[in-house]
Amino acid sequence: MMKDIFDYEIEHAPQNQCICPKYEKIINILGKRWNGLIIEVLHQKDCRFSELAREIEGVSDRMLTERLRELEHEQIIEKNVMHEGKIISTYRLTEKGKALGLAMQPLKSWAGQWIGIDE
């Protein structure tokens, strides 16, 4: 069984006794570049790889693949492979991922009010 990379990071990082390890783990997951955007896009609709790459400007195919695998390993997303003449893969949120997507919405609202974007 593949060792969870986030478990490794948590095991080997100095533990802050004031922070719940589960909270720390999800912050580590969301803190990785592109993960929040992937979850946000998939919260809106299921997507093929190429659609995700178009929606998330600036992410390389290699990095998108890596992040999708990590999120799949964490059971936040799932990959559905269909064989209809050619192989078509789509990504969607699991129930766990849908709950996370909903939990992210207040953060999105907060950011809209309080975070400025430098042009």
Side-chain angles (χ1 to χ4, degrees):
M1 183 173 181
M2 183 175 160
K3 180 143 178 82
D4 187 323
I5 61 171
F6 299 110
D7 287 340
Y8 177 85
E9 290 172 0
I10 289 174
E11 287 173 13
H12 294 85
Q15 292 295 307
N16 183 339
Q17 298 302 318
C18 298
I19 299 176
C20 169
K22 291 180 180 185
Y23 177 77
E24 185 176 7
K25 182 172 181 174
I26 194 57
I27 292 301
N28 286 335
I29 291 170
L30 291 176
K32 287 192 132 186
R33 189 165 187 192
W34 310 115
N35 281 354
L37 295 175
I38 292 167
I39 294 166
E40 175 63 23
V41 170
L42 291 176
H43 184 71
Q44 296 170 25
K45 63 181 179 177
D46 298 350
C47 290
R48 294 174 58 182
F49 183 91
S50 59
E51 293 173 303
L52 278 168
R54 266 194 313 273
E55 292 281 336
I56 304 171
E57 191 174 314
V59 66
S60 69
D61 287 353
R62 183 181 130 304
M63 183 57 64
L64 182 56
T65 299
E66 183 179 318
R67 294 297 185 245
L68 289 170
R69 285 183 182 149
E70 291 170 2
L71 292 170
E72 189 174 10
H73 179 73
E74 291 294 335
Q75 299 176 335
I76 292 171
I77 67 168
E78 60 188 7
K79 181 179 181 179
N80 183 28
V81 180
M82 297 176 285
H83 301 276
E84 296 176 5
K86 62 179 183 174
I87 297 175
I88 299 172
S89 299
T90 57
Y91 294 89
R92 65 177 171 225
L93 294 177
T94 60
E95 288 304 311
K96 180 179 177 180
K98 289 175 186 175
L100 178 57
L102 288 173
M104 289 171 53
Q105 294 310 301
L107 184 60
K108 184 178 174 183
S109 295
W110 178 88
Q113 181 176 352
W114 294 102
I115 301 296
I117 302 295
D118 297 332
E119 295 293 324

